[in-house]
Amino acid sequence: MAVMKIRYCGDPVLRKKAKKVKQVDDDLRALMADMVETMLEAPGVGLAAPQVGVSLRAICVRVPEDREAGDEGDAGDQDDEAPTWCLINPVIIKSTKETAEVYEGCLSLPSLTAVVERPSEVVVQAYDLEGREVTLEAAGLLARALQHEIDHLRGVLFIDRCDRDTLAWMVPDESDERGYHLDSTTLQEALERFERLRQQEEPQ
Ligand code: NI
């Protein structure tokens, strides 16, 4: 297994529509194992294949049971009991009219957060790593993480859906009980920062 390089906002692969997985085989299982390792190392609560540069409909999600709200990029207290879901060709087949507004983040947009309104509960149909059909009923942070990751498969990022007035950087801050404070920003400033981040990473 290996930790993969996470692609940042501005990378074209994040805006592509991912292809359906045709066959659940050893290559796919190896990819998913690497994705899970990458997600845990980040740490994050979810990762979609396009975020590691693979344009396929595959996601992994691992949400500690006691977490009701939070964001992809801040797994905080890792709960060893939390199940890891590896889902192939996931589709949302049902979602509630009731919505929730929660601060969200993304490993491809490091440190950025904003409030995103999404259905509170969803039912997701997908295939597992054995190629068996699975149906997942989810609420709370799991429902949110699933919707966020499935968005990635259509090239949609949380900044496309968020309340732009709430866009902010999470700035590490020991004096704040969350461990960070929010520093308000604009979409343009954020996009410019991620573009610089991407350029720094490119080999000279
Ligand atoms: Ni994301």
Side-chain angles (χ1 to χ4, degrees), residues 19-35 49 54 56-59 86-89 127-131:
K19 284 206 172 70
K20 223 171 161 174
V21 173
K22 292 220 175 79
Q23 202 179 341
V24 180
D25 55 16
D26 285 344
D27 285 347
L28 185 77
R29 282 185 279 268
L31 166 69
M32 294 299 293
D34 287 347
M35 280 174 56
V54 180
L56 281 177
R57 294 187 56 84
I59 62 170
C86 288
L87 301 174
I88 313 302
N89 298 336
Y127 293 90
D128 68 11
L129 292 180
E130 307 304 323

Side-chain angles (χ1 to χ4, degrees), residues 12 20 37 39 53 66 71 100 123 129 150 164 166 184 193:
K20 223 171 161 174
E37 196 179 337
M39 171 181 73
D66 56 354
D71 63 76
V123 180
L129 292 180
I150 291 170
R164 288 192 184 177
T166 64
S184 207
R193 190 191 286 196

